[in-house]
């Protein structure tokens, strides 16, 4: 997993942009309006996402439409899968431990 991806996603405004773009392509103006940002500020954040490879841009007439790229998010999901398994196992162990404590407590009553 590329550190650039994580760096790009650390900013709350960029995360909000990712959430917006999950619904489909948007222009800079649409993103700025929905997030209540100034257009230059939105453009700066979109440039970071573009350089990180998280979004792609398509020029349509005089507008630039931004959309999410699927591949980086699939790679991130694959990378996180190992951690999901570890945490799932740990939560299962914690659940078993807590159930045992409850059984022991009921037996003492």
């Amino acid at each position: 997993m590329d550190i650039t991806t994580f760096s790009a996603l650390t900013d709350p405004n960029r995360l909000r942009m990712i959430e917006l773009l999950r619904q489909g392509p948007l222009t800079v103006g649409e993103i700025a309006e929905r997030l209540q940002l100034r257009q230059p500020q939105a453009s700066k954040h979109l440039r970071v996402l573009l350089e990180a490879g998280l979004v792609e841009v398509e020029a349509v007439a005089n507008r630039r439409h931004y959309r999410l790229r699927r591949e980086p998010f699939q790679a991130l999901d694959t990378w996180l899968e190992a951690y999901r398994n570890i945490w799932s196992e740990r939560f299962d162990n914690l659940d078993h431990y807590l159930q045992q404590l409850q059984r022991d407590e009921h037996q003492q009553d």
Side-chain angles (χ1 to χ4, degrees):
M1 186 83 283
D2 189 341
I3 192 73
T4 308
T5 300
F6 290 111
S7 295
L9 295 174
T10 59
D11 184 274
N13 286 319
R14 290 193 288 266
L15 278 176
R16 290 170 47 210
M17 288 178 175
I18 295 293
E19 287 299 316
L20 279 178
L21 291 170
R22 288 180 61 208
Q23 299 166 14
L26 295 169
T27 65
V28 177
E30 292 168 329
I31 292 169
E33 182 181 322
R34 292 182 190 185
L35 297 181
Q36 299 180 346
L37 298 172
R38 292 176 295 132
Q39 193 161 341
Q41 188 180 16
S43 293
K44 181 184 112 180
H45 288 300
L46 285 165
R47 189 175 335 106
V48 172
L49 294 172
L50 186 63
E51 289 171 359
L54 297 170
V55 299
E56 58 189 10
V57 63
E58 178 184 6
V60 178
N62 63 343
R63 294 184 176 204
R64 296 167 54 95
H65 292 262
Y66 289 84
R67 69 173 43 85
L68 293 179
R69 290 187 63 238
R70 179 170 298 189
E71 299 84 1
F73 293 98
Q74 289 173 332
L76 182 59
D77 185 56
T78 300
W79 184 80
L80 287 170
E81 185 61 31
Y83 295 96
R84 278 190 210 103
N85 292 336
I86 291 169
W87 282 107
S88 179
E89 182 179 325
R90 289 182 180 179
F91 284 131
D92 287 345
N93 290 341
L94 176 60
D95 187 47
H96 294 304
Y97 175 73
L98 293 174
Q99 288 176 7
Q100 185 61 45
L101 284 178
Q102 284 180 335
R103 281 192 296 270
D104 292 348
E105 186 178 285
H106 288 304
Q107 290 175 356
Q108 291 176 358
D109 289 341

